[in-house]
Amino acid sequence: MIVLEDRKLVILTLPHTASGNLHRVLCSPEFGGHWAIGPTPDGRGYDHHVTQLAEGWADFQVALVVRHPLDRLIGLYEHHQHAAEKNGWDKIAWWLFVAMVLEKNPDLSWFYRTTIADLIGDRKPDHLLHFESLPDDLAKLLGQPVPLPPGWTEQRDWSAYYAQI
C-alpha cells in the first residue's frame, strides 16, 4: 500500500501488479508517498501488499492496481520459479502451479494463490489503475507523469505459456 497523504489517496498494490516499482517511485521525495505495510492474509508476517486501511486514512480515495488475471498468473509463476532458485526450493511445472493456484493449495504461499478479488473483499475502489496502461493511468490520477523504471512493468511475450493452456 502506498499512502499519498497530501493527496488524500491510498494506492493498493497487490502481488505482481508492479508494486515494487510503484513503491520505489511514489515513495520518493518527488512524490512524497509512504510505504505502508500490514499483516499478510495468512497472519504469518507483514507485507506491503496490505489492503486494510488504517483509521486515519478511512476518508482517503482508494486506487487499486489491477492486471489481466492470466498475465498476472504467469508473472506470479515466474516469480515463484525465481524464488525457488534463490531459496533452494524445488521448481514446479507451469501446469502444476496453475492447478495449485486454482485449488488454493496451502503448499503455495498466499502471495501466489490469492486473487485480487480475494485480497480486496467487498472494498469498492474509487479508481482502477490498469497494469497494462499504468503510466497513463497514474499520470491521469496524479496530474503528472510518473517515470516507472523498465523491467517488470514492461509488456512481455507470454505466448509460450498461452500455448500450454
Side-chain angles (χ1 to χ4, degrees), residues 3-39:
V3 181
L4 297 161
E5 288 187 327
D6 61 330
R7 298 172 189 259
K8 296 189 75 118
L9 175 67
V10 170
I11 301 176
L12 303 179
T13 59
L14 305 179
H16 245 275
T17 60
S19 58
N21 278 343
L22 285 169
H23 279 79
R24 282 186 285 282
V25 171
L26 295 177
C27 297
S28 67
E30 180 182 355
F31 289 95
H34 300 285
W35 192 306
I37 63 169

Side-chain angles (χ1 to χ4, degrees), residues 19 41 46-47 63 70 72 79 97 99 104 108 112 117 125 128 133 138-139 143 160-161 163-164:
S19 58
Y46 293 88
D47 193 89
L70 184 54
R72 181 171 176 266
H79 183 281
F97 180 83
K104 298 193 181 290
L108 277 182
Y112 301 107
L128 289 180
S133 56
L138 279 169
Y161 292 100
Q164 297 179 45

Side-chain angles (χ1 to χ4, degrees), residues 114-125:
T114 312
T115 67
I116 290 174
D118 292 337
L119 289 167
I120 65 165
D122 293 334
R123 175 174 304 287
K124 303 285 186 249

